[in-house]
């Protein structure tokens, strides 16, 4: 039976939720993060994430959607917050959300990524902007990627800006954080040893072949670099092949998330063409 709480002041529990919005260390320590928005909350529920608490405004009538979420997530604590407190957690000054969710963090385990014959795993090396992580995750979901791995010292995919930018795709695609390229390469080695011929492809403006000319069918791990420096030297040296996205005009390069979206589209295009043959 779900517990029902009522919070009218900025007590310790409220302050802990508030810290989840801005403090990565506290998110990690608590093992949870705050989710805002109808679509992200809906997808978190649909994909079976651990919903620890659902927060709503005390005394306010709820929509059919919000009532449905409360009924469906029976094990989560229900918390009636003073409306002004809910507005603070909602992240938008001009309006108050109807419902917020406190969601448990999943394990950072590469075993969460499905290992299939057509595996397409995107790696984002040391991204510095939460919004770019969310955008890449959204594109990965849209183009059928198996998962996203964040390597190195990077922004947090569970930052509210990343969650919002993903428009809920964070809950549909496995997203895993690892300390460096080594963990990904060791995992790729174990896949090869098990008979899955995975290829590690890096993207760089000086890559030796245009992306459309490289076969992106079959099991692939594709790495894109961060917004300022691109792929690290360690990644470039470790990739089986380096590809480039041809660009024209005055632009010197593409935004990292935009480049990843181009790569994902090309992989999806090639795979669809292969199936149509």
């Amino acid at each position: 039976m779900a517990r029902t709480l009522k919070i009218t002041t900025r007590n310790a529990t409220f302050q802990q939720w508030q810290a989840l919005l801005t403090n990565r260390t506290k998110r990690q320590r608590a093992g949870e993060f705050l989710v805002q928005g109808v679509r992200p909350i809906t997808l978190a529920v649909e994909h079976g994430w651990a919903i620890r608490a659902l927060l709503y405004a005390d005394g306010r009538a709820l929509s059919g959607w919000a009532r449905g979420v409360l009924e469906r997530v029976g094990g989560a604590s229900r918390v009636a917050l003073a409306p002004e407190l809910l507005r603070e957690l909602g992240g938008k000054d001009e309006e108050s959300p109807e419902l917020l969710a406190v969601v448990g963090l999943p394990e950072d385990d590469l075993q969460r990524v499905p290992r299939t014959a057509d595996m397409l795993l995107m790696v984002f090396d040391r991204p510095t902007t939460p919004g770019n992580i969310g955008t890449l995750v959204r594109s990965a979901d849209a183009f059928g990627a198996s998962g996203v791995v964040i390597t190195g010292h990077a922004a947090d995919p569970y930052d509210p800006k990343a969650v919002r930018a993903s428009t809920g795709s964070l809950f549909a695609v496995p997203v895993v954080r690892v300390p460096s390229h080594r963990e990904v390469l060791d995992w790729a080695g174990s896949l090869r040893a098990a008979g899955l011929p995975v290829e590690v492809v890096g993207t760089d403006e000086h890559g030796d072949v245009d992306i459309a000319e490289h076969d992106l069918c079959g099991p692939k791990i594709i790495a894109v670099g961060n917004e300022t420096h691109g792929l690290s030297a360690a990644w470039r040296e470790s990739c089986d092949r380096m590809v480039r996205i041809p660009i024209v005009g005055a632009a010197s390069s593409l935004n990292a998330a935009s480049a990843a979206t181009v790569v994902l589209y090309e992989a999806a295009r090639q795979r669809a063409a292969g199936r149509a043959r």
Side-chain angles (χ1 to χ4, degrees), residues 172-183:
V173 175
V175 177
V176 179
R177 301 168 293 182
V178 297
S180 73
H181 66 292
R182 297 183 190 88
E183 289 77 14

Side-chain angles (χ1 to χ4, degrees), residues 139-178:
S139 295
D141 186 19
F143 291 113
S146 308
V148 174
V149 174
I150 310 296
T151 62
H153 182 68
D156 186 7
Y158 303 104
D159 183 291
K161 293 178 183 177
V163 179
R164 284 196 298 269
S166 83
T167 64
S169 289
L170 176 73
F171 303 104
V173 175
V175 177
V176 179
R177 301 168 293 182
V178 297

Side-chain angles (χ1 to χ4, degrees), residues 19 58 61 70 81 95 99 105 108 116 121 132 135 160 174 186 188 228-229 231 236 252 255:
D58 188 25
L70 287 165
L81 281 172
E95 60 183 87
L99 198 65
L105 290 174
D108 284 311
T116 62
L121 178 66
N132 275 340
T135 299
D186 287 347
T228 305
H229 303 293
L231 278 177
R236 290 196 300 270
S252 61
N255 166 277

